[in-house]
């Protein structure tokens, strides 16, 4: 008996560090994938000036260099689901990190703008693949009690990555260092390879591939204390149910699911049309036009007012987001975003008047300060509303038979809208002025507000089954749309 007891105790001692290591490994993978995503989004802001000087590019080409990361990401997001099913989650993440590394090196060594664009597309494809595969891997590896936290960690890591990119931009500012700024993202990409290699694939994927032995080993590493055989039977049953119910791509667009698809895709697009990535990508240039004359002061404003505030507000949001309803958060957030965009637009309007020699109501330094404050309010309002809530809603409104593909459609729509904004931001500024563009973003905040108020149902506090039922029941849907409002 005592012998037996000793064996059990020592076994659990040896299992525990292995489990902790495996979970740490998964946490590291999700954190590094998010960091890379954010870094590649943020870094271009500080690199644009140097690229412009070295390659003598015009506005249109500058926009292509900035925005084709998102185009690559759109293609990556669409391809990722099939890749993750065929090659496994782990190999898909490995492939994404290899693409990141390759893309970063192409960018850093690019002799001209065409190769630079190829590098941006390659990095983007990796970002898109990882943006689907890493959360999928984390949600299948994490024990249920940690699942929510792992997915929030990803959100947080994206903003930390944007901050890290701004910090590197700030340290390396100066004309020809842009190659280093872009090339540095190869470092976390290599770390990601190192983090993924020793980990197993998810038990769910192994079961899908009918590799029960591997599934058993993987499950034992992450949840050594559960009843492994019972869990594997459960997984096998749910894999079987899913494959029976699983829809073709056309099925995703069936009349029956049109409502949730319309809501998911519209929210994904509005999240971008309200301007977040124009500010993330072109922050330095916005501060430059608002009167921050030295590159040092521009980088500092970008680092803290955009990067720092984004991290802190996201941290607060991730801790609180589940306590409030989705709709109130979105309504308050879009109101804050609207007010700050209108203010930034008004500042640029006054600055245009100064440039034109007509009397303006504000001086250049006042305009700079007001712009910083308004952008802080904008970023903070986004970070607790449209930022995390849109992704939460997209992941909970679809019934399981279409969820995977519908989430991919909404994610690709989000990347497409991000591309539209970053591709045409500078051209639009040239055409209608900075004030006009910020007021256009403000207009989309009104559209978002009305859409959320009138069309979107509240999903907080409902089980996934209740949400599914709602789509076919007019009364329930009506009640959920008008709840507490
Ligand atoms: C958006 C990204 C954006 C990021 C900023 C995310 O929710 O989807 O496009 O860059 O928030 O924090």
């Amino acid at each position: 008996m005592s012998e037996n007891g000793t064996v059990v105790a020592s076994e659990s001692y040896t299992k525990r560090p292995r489990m902790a290591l495996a979970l740490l490994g998964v946490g590291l993978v999700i954190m590094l994938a998010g960091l890379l995503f954010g870094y590649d989004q943020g870094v271009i802001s500080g690199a644009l000036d140097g690229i412009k000087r070295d390659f003598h590019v015009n506005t249109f080409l500058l926009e292509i260099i900035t925005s084709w990361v998102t185009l690559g990401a759109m293609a990556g997001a669409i391809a990722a689901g099939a890749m993750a099913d065929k090659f496994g989650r782990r190999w898909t993440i490995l492939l994404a990190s290899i693409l990141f590394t390759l893309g970063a090196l192409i960018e850093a060594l690019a002799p001209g703008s065409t190769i630079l664009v190829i590098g941006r597309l390659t990095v983007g494809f990796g970002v898109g693949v990882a943006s689907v595969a890493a959360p999928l891997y984390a949600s299948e590896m994490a024990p249920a009690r940690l699942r929510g936290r792992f997915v929030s960690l990803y959100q947080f890591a994206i903003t930390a990555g944007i901050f890290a990119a701004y910090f590197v931009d700030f340290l390396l500012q100066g004309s020809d260092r842009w190659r280093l700024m872009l090339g540095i993202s190869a470092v976390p990409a290599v770390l990601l390879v190192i983090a993924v290699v020793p980990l197993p694939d998810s038990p769910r994927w192994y079961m899908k591939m009918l590799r029960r032995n591997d599934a058993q080993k993987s499950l034992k590493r992450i949840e050594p204390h559960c009843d492994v055989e019972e869990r594997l039977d459960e997984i096998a049953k749910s894999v079987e149910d899913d494959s029976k119910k699983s829809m073709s791509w056309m099925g995703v667009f069936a009349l029956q699911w049109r409502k949730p698809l319309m809501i998911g895709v519209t929210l994904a697009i509005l999240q971008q049309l309200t301007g977040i990535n124009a500010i993330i990508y072109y922050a330095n240039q916005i501060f430059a036009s608002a009167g921050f004359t030295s590159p040092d002061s521009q980088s500092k404003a970008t680092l803290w007012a955009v990067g720092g505030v984004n991290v802190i507000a996201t941290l607060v949001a991730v801790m609180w987001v589940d306590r409030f309803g989705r709709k109130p958060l979105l309504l308050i957030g879009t109101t804050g975003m609207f007010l700050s965009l209108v203010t930034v637009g008004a500042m640029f309007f006054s600055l245009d008047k100064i440039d034109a020699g007509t009397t303006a109501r504000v001086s250049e330094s006042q305009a700079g300060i007001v712009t910083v404050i308004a952008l802080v309010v904008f970023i903070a309002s986004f970070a607790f509303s449209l930022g995390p809530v849109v992704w939460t809603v997209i992941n909970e409104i679809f019934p399981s038979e279409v969820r995977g593909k519908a989430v991919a459609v909404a994610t690709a729509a989000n990347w497409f809208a991000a591309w539209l904004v970053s591709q045409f931001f500078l051209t639009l500024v040239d055409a209608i002025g900075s004030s006009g563009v910020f007021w256009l973003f403000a207009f989309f905040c009104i559209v978002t507000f009305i859409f959320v108020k009138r069309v979107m149902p509240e999903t907080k506090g409902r089980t996934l089954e209740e949400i599914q039922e709602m789509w076919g029941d007019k009364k329930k849907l009506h009640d959920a749309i008008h709840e507490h409002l």
Side-chain angles (χ1 to χ4, degrees), residues 55-341:
F55 292 160
H56 309 289
V57 288
N58 60 19
T59 299
F60 186 63
L61 202 51
L62 210 59
E63 286 169 323
I64 289 184
I65 292 167
T66 305
S67 70
W68 280 26
V69 160
T70 48
L71 221 51
M74 187 177 84
I78 295 173
M83 283 167 69
D85 278 348
K86 198 168 165 58
F87 308 122
R89 283 65 170 128
R90 180 174 161 270
W91 270 103
T92 304
I93 297 171
L94 262 174
L95 205 73
S97 358
I98 293 168
L99 281 173
F100 274 137
T101 316
L102 199 72
L105 294 179
I106 298 175
E107 286 178 340
L109 303 172
S113 49
T114 312
I115 303 286
L116 182 58
V117 171
I118 293 175
R120 300 286 291 156
L121 272 174
T122 313
V123 162
F125 194 83
V127 167
V129 171
S131 73
V132 174
L136 181 67
Y137 180 64
S139 67
E140 288 181 354
M141 288 297 275
R145 71 198 148 85
L146 291 177
R147 192 177 308 133
R149 224 171 284 168
F150 270 32
V151 178
S152 324
L153 191 65
Y154 185 63
Q155 280 275 349
F156 172 67
I158 294 175
T159 59
I162 295 174
F163 182 79
Y166 287 163
F167 192 66
V168 170
D169 286 356
F170 172 69
L171 291 180
L172 295 180
Q173 54 182 296
S175 63
D176 53 353
R177 310 269 199 93
W178 63 266
R179 290 179 186 278
L180 197 53
M181 293 174 189
L182 295 176
I184 279 180
S185 64
V187 176
V190 171
L191 289 180
L192 184 56
V193 174
I194 297 172
V196 176
V197 165
L199 291 171
D201 212 307
S202 73
R204 196 180 164 85
W205 184 73
Y206 285 130
M207 290 303 282
K208 247 182 156 160
M209 296 286 114
L210 307 173
R211 289 165 58 177
R212 196 176 172 108
N213 272 349
D214 290 322
Q216 204 178 38
K217 279 186 214 145
S218 172
L219 193 60
K220 270 189 186 158
R221 265 180 80 177
I222 46 176
E223 286 187 82
H225 303 294
C226 76
D227 183 335
V228 174
E229 292 310 319
E230 191 184 321
R231 279 296 308 281
L232 290 183
D233 288 342
E234 261 170 45
I235 296 177
K237 182 162 183 329
S238 114
V239 167
E240 201 189 310
D241 284 354
D242 269 9
S243 71
K244 259 193 232 143
K245 286 198 279 177
S246 177
M247 292 275 164
S248 67
W249 276 99
M250 281 327 286
V252 177
F253 298 98
L255 199 61
Q256 192 182 6
W257 311 127
R258 210 153 275 177
K259 200 134 212 173
L261 193 66
M262 184 274 286
I263 290 175
V265 168
T266 308
L267 279 176
I269 292 176
L270 287 172
Q271 189 207 44
Q272 297 297 327
L273 294 189
T274 43
I276 181 68
N277 281 322
I279 288 158
I280 302 261
Y281 289 151
Y282 296 109
N284 275 5
Q285 312 219 342
I286 296 169
F287 286 123
S289 353
F292 287 72
T293 43
S294 71
D296 183 67
S297 61
Q298 290 159 21
S299 301
K300 261 193 202 141
T302 299
L303 176 64
W304 296 112
V306 179
V309 170
N310 198 17
V311 175
I312 293 167
T314 301
L315 199 63
V316 174
V318 162
M319 287 183 327
W320 288 82
V321 98
D322 265 344
R323 300 198 189 178
F324 296 98
R326 323 286 188 237
K327 288 182 65 145
L329 281 176
L330 288 176
L331 294 176
I332 298 168
T334 42
T335 307
M337 288 163 69
F338 171 78
L339 293 175
S340 37
L341 287 168

Side-chain angles (χ1 to χ4, degrees), residues 274-276 279 336-337 340-341 373-383:
T274 43
I276 181 68
I279 288 158
M337 288 163 69
S340 37
L341 287 168
I373 295 173
L375 286 185
V376 165
V377 174
F378 175 85
I379 294 286
S381 308
F382 175 88

